Amino acid sequence: MSVIITGFETHDVRFPTSLTGDGTDAMNTDCDYSSAYVTLFTSSDLVGHGMTFTIGRGNDIVCSAIKEVAARLKGKEVEELFSSMGKTWDYLCADPQLRWIGPEKGVIHIALGAVNNALWDMFARSRKKPLWKLVVDFTPEELVNATAFRYITDAITKEEALALLKEKAASKVGRESHVREVGYPAYVTSAGWLGYSDEKVARLTKEAVAAGFNHFKMKVGASRDSDLKRGKIIRSIIDDPQWLPAGHKPRDPNGPDLVGKNAGPTGSVLMIDANQVWDVPEAIEYVKSLEEIKPWFIEEPTAPDDILGHAAIRKALKPYRIGVATGEHAHNRILFKQLFQAEAIDVCQIDSCRLAGVSEVLSVLLMAAKFGVPVCPHAGGVGLCEYVIHLSLIDYISISGSMERNVLEFVDHLHEHFINPCSINGNGRYNVPSSPNEGYSIEMHKKSIERFEWPHGSYWVNEHAAEKAKCLSEH
């Protein structure tokens, strides 16, 4: 008997991270990490969960858009949808009236991301595999068939993608075995939020070094003097061998995984992130003035849509050995295509929710592999770490064949709300998701939804006012 999609439900889930300064940066000073969450139901017990990420107000608008996109799936037979996820993605994009309010950008596009991710979650659950394993087990032809190719064939054709995937296919098994054993490289942002005191920055940096991390990111852009001060605090800790975990020796700063990253004497790397606050000339001069703290790259130095601006910044900073990274707010594959074609970035940072789900992510991973740009996904938000480990595993095992220079962001917030939370091993690397029933790892505990749903969840009704008053009194 065929299985039909029968309906869906959405939830506006918000967490009060603004009370503790988590997630704060030069542009986003008041962040309540939030999930616009959707569950797809079928005529069987098969379900699919998905979400997209916001930082608070407007989450309800995204939930409204999710309802409009998800309605296109009602009555559809799931195996037909699964048979060509690339065509299914095109179908979800194709409502002309909904497309008009994008097209393929903004609220309607991130809503599509939540729905597409939920459908991929359902696909993986139906095959009793975590999402990454579902895709890694695809033939090259099946992976191409699952990818969104419209508007990017001037950068990579289906035939080129197929050839690239076939070249990597023979060695997939070895890479899968290796990453299961050692984990996927991670970097930590949790110590680098702008809203933290110097003491908290130092404490969290020491904790991160002790946990095995050797790549660290800090937010910049509000105050040059403060940025230099915090950068020196972080550098003084990550460059000092005394803080390394027992049994860990300093790494070679000029080793193949670190060369060109401005690594310090222990092999530790510092990255900086401006979250779009500068015009192009300002970005160049500001980042030059931070040369002393030896950043590997500046992330989001200017408007995320400014391809030529990023290219100009990259060219100007190259003599200072500082690279350029962006992609957290790159709203579709076409923007990434142009960033690659213009040689505007050293590091590609996909976002699992800003792009419209796995099918569009696959198109960017394929282009990045062709252009030789490492992919280091953004994961600074609720649920994003759970998502992106799957995407990085797909990239390493099936597409790029490399993780030596890659690092995947890790933020130690809110994982307890997920049934299958991500985890980090003692060497600062993501463990590989292994449960056959976890799909895309994004299913949230019902009690978390009930407590934090806006505006009637028990936390917002009964606890928030008192907690906010307490935080204000302490500051």
Side-chain angles (χ1 to χ4, degrees):
M1 182 181 296
S2 63
V3 177
I4 304 297
I5 293 181
T6 56
F8 56 87
E9 66 180 27
T10 63
H11 296 279
D12 178 350
V13 185
R14 308 186 192 186
F15 300 97
T17 51
S18 60
L19 297 182
T20 52
D22 298 341
T24 49
D25 55 59
M27 181 66 77
N28 305 296
T29 57
D30 183 24
C31 306
D32 282 330
Y33 278 1
S34 301
S35 167
Y37 188 83
V38 60
T39 299
L40 301 175
F41 299 106
T42 69
S43 55
S44 72
D45 59 359
L46 182 64
V47 298
H49 305 284
M51 59 153 278
T52 196
F53 169 67
T54 81
I55 59 170
R57 288 187 302 276
N59 205 47
D60 48 349
I61 299 171
V62 180
C63 285
S64 295
I66 287 172
K67 294 174 185 176
E68 296 297 325
V69 176
R72 289 181 64 74
L73 293 175
K74 288 183 69 173
K76 297 295 182 182
E77 204 274 323
V78 299
E79 289 300 328
E80 183 179 341
L81 295 170
F82 297 160
S83 68
S84 178
M85 289 293 276
K87 288 183 179 178
T88 296
W89 191 89
D90 288 339
Y91 167 74
L92 285 170
C93 284
D95 183 299
Q97 294 185 7
L98 296 179
R99 190 177 187 278
W100 185 264
I101 59 173
E104 296 187 33
K105 63 178 71 70
V107 170
I108 199 65
H109 204 59
I110 62 174
L112 170 58
V115 176
N116 186 250
N117 285 339
L119 197 59
W120 275 100
D121 178 70
M122 181 184 289
F123 191 178
R125 289 168 180 270
S126 75
R127 302 304 192 259
K128 301 296 182 183
K129 296 178 181 181
L131 185 280
W132 71 267
K133 180 63 172 165
L134 171 79
V135 179
V136 163
D137 286 347
F138 282 175
T139 65
E141 290 81 3
E142 287 171 333
L143 200 151
V144 167
N145 203 32
T147 301
F149 272 95
R150 192 177 195 181
Y151 301 138
I152 65 166
T153 54
D154 54 326
I156 188 168
T157 64
K158 289 185 177 182
E159 292 73 22
E160 287 176 310
L162 191 60
L164 184 155
L165 293 167
K166 285 182 175 179
E167 180 187 344
K168 297 292 189 297
S171 50
K172 281 197 309 185
V173 173
R175 285 192 296 277
E176 179 178 335
S177 176
H178 177 62
V179 75
R180 283 183 183 273
E181 179 183 353
V182 303
Y184 194 93
Y187 74 86
V188 66
T189 305
S190 299
W193 303 121
L194 276 184
Y196 289 174
S197 66
D198 293 348
E199 292 75 19
K200 189 170 183 178
V201 168
R203 174 176 60 81
L204 291 176
T205 302
K206 290 174 184 176
E207 290 175 2
V209 174
F213 291 98
N214 81 308
H215 285 64
F216 308 82
K217 190 171 80 180
M218 60 173 273
K219 302 292 185 175
V220 299
S223 162
R224 194 187 319 257
D225 290 343
S226 174
D227 292 343
L228 278 171
K229 182 181 180 184
R230 286 181 303 112
K232 289 177 181 178
I233 291 171
I234 293 174
R235 270 286 176 204
S236 72
I237 296 166
I238 66 176
D239 289 347
D240 189 338
Q242 72 167 308
W243 300 113
L244 292 175
H248 285 232
K249 297 180 179 179
R251 297 168 60 176
D252 179 5
N254 296 308
D257 58 334
L258 295 176
V259 66
K261 288 187 175 182
N262 262 335
T266 65
S268 288
V269 176
L270 179 63
M271 302 96 85
I272 56 175
D273 183 359
N275 293 93
Q276 318 160 27
V277 295
W278 301 312
D279 281 6
V280 171
E282 184 184 11
I284 293 168
E285 294 309 310
Y286 197 112
V287 177
K288 283 180 183 178
S289 74
L290 300 180
E291 181 187 16
E292 181 181 355
I293 59 174
K294 296 174 63 179
W296 169 25
F297 62 64
I298 173 64
E299 178 179 342
E300 284 201 314
T302 192
D305 301 351
D306 189 354
I307 291 100
L308 297 182
H310 279 86
I313 294 166
R314 181 177 184 238
K315 182 178 179 181
L317 294 180
K318 191 172 282 290
Y320 297 83
R321 298 185 300 171
I322 301 171
V324 171
T326 201
E328 171 183 345
H329 283 82
H331 49 251
N332 58 34
R333 67 212 174 282
I334 301 105
L335 187 55
F336 278 107
K337 176 187 76 172
Q338 295 177 28
L339 287 166
F340 296 138
Q341 289 172 328
E343 298 182 350
I345 53 175
D346 298 276
V347 174
C348 169
Q349 294 176 302
I350 58 168
D351 182 278
S352 58
C353 298
R354 182 72 56 177
L355 291 171
V358 176
S359 294
E360 188 171 33
V361 167
L362 292 174
S363 67
V364 177
L365 296 180
L366 287 163
M367 286 189 289
K370 177 184 174 180
F371 283 85
V373 177
V375 179
C376 300
H378 165 250
V382 61
L384 301 190
C385 295
E386 279 68 27
Y387 266 154
V388 292
I389 178 56
H390 292 268
L391 304 176
S392 286
L393 290 170
I394 293 165
D395 178 54
Y396 168 55
I397 298 169
S398 290
I399 300 177
S400 72
S402 173
M403 66 174 178
E404 282 61 44
R405 299 185 60 75
N406 299 51
V407 279
L408 169 54
E409 185 170 20
F410 177 73
V411 176
D412 192 15
H413 303 311
L414 305 173
H415 303 295
E416 67 275 14
H417 298 291
F418 295 92
I419 291 174
N420 294 287
C422 66
S423 62
I424 298 290
N425 67 24
N427 293 314
R429 300 167 80 101
Y430 275 84
N431 291 311
V432 173
S434 58
S435 169
N437 299 311
E438 69 182 279
Y440 205 177
S441 303
I442 209 67
E443 182 177 2
M444 199 177 286
H445 287 290
K446 286 183 170 59
K447 63 182 181 181
S448 293
I449 295 174
E450 291 168 358
R451 186 178 176 210
F452 290 100
E453 186 150 20
W454 176 266
H456 301 302
S458 60
Y459 171 82
W460 295 105
V461 173
N462 300 320
E463 303 171 52
H464 179 65
E467 191 173 329
K468 184 175 182 180
K470 180 182 177 183
C471 288
L472 289 173
S473 68
E474 290 174 351
H475 291 85

